[in-house]
Amino acid sequence: MVHLYYDSKTGNVQRFIHKVIQITGWHAHKIEDGLDVPEAGHLITYTTKLGCVPDYTKQFMDNHAHKIYSVTSSGNRNWGKNFGLAADKVSEDYDVPLAMKFELSGTMEDINQFIDIIKHQYNDSKRGSKKLDIA
């Protein structure tokens, strides 16, 4: 079973996650204080302050990076080069492969691409290649 760990401030990531779990039946866990991390999985976060990693995401990764197979981030293309930059920073800082980036709450194409990446690149058992970024 695939586990998704997500951080959402405005609801965009949460909407993305809910669409993914409706299609797949995967387990989703919102990052919050006291979150139990029962299984390894994939991180989905958002980019804040024009290119920063959210505080809860940092705290989560400080404690659980060894259980994270990939990182995905939402963002806004209006931010130009800072679009989804949180994913790049998490990937670099915690040595976790970047799966993809999507805008706001994602399109159905984004959702299907994410599902495909997780199903075919990771096989639920180990980290994929650092060169995974196909977004």
Side-chain angles (χ1 to χ4, degrees):
M1 177 58 61
V2 174
H3 289 265
L4 306 174
Y5 298 94
Y6 72 96
D7 198 355
S8 185
K9 181 178 182 177
T10 63
N12 284 328
V13 172
Q14 189 162 346
R15 283 188 288 279
F16 180 86
I17 291 295
H18 284 173
K19 292 173 193 172
V20 169
I21 62 174
Q22 284 177 343
I23 294 168
T24 63
W26 294 344
H27 291 272
H29 312 271
K30 185 168 179 23
I31 295 172
E32 53 195 3
D33 287 333
L35 172 67
D36 181 37
V37 180
E39 301 288 336
H42 304 273
L43 172 67
I44 302 87
T45 191
Y46 61 97
T47 300
T48 189
K49 300 177 188 168
L50 296 175
C52 294
V53 177
D55 290 337
Y56 269 148
T57 298
K58 284 182 192 176
Q59 292 169 7
F60 176 82
M61 290 302 291
D62 286 345
N63 295 314
H64 305 290
H66 64 284
K67 288 188 171 184
I68 299 301
Y69 297 139
S70 73
V71 60
T72 294
S73 181
S74 72
N76 189 318
R77 293 193 191 279
N78 290 338
W79 295 352
K81 65 181 178 152
N82 292 329
F83 168 69
L85 195 57
D88 297 301
K89 290 180 177 180
V90 167
S91 178
E92 179 69 26
D93 293 348
Y94 298 96
D95 194 31
V96 174
L98 172 59
M100 67 175 283
K101 300 175 187 181
F102 60 91
E103 187 168 27
L104 303 174
S105 60
T107 63
M108 279 310 297
E109 183 178 333
D110 296 328
I111 290 161
N112 289 326
Q113 180 183 16
F114 175 78
I115 292 167
D116 186 61
I117 289 169
I118 300 307
K119 278 184 174 179
H120 296 105
Q121 298 291 332
Y122 291 99
N123 200 24
D124 294 341
S125 62
K126 53 188 162 187
R127 287 186 175 181
S129 165
K130 282 289 286 180
K131 297 179 181 178
L132 182 64
D133 182 12
I134 62 172

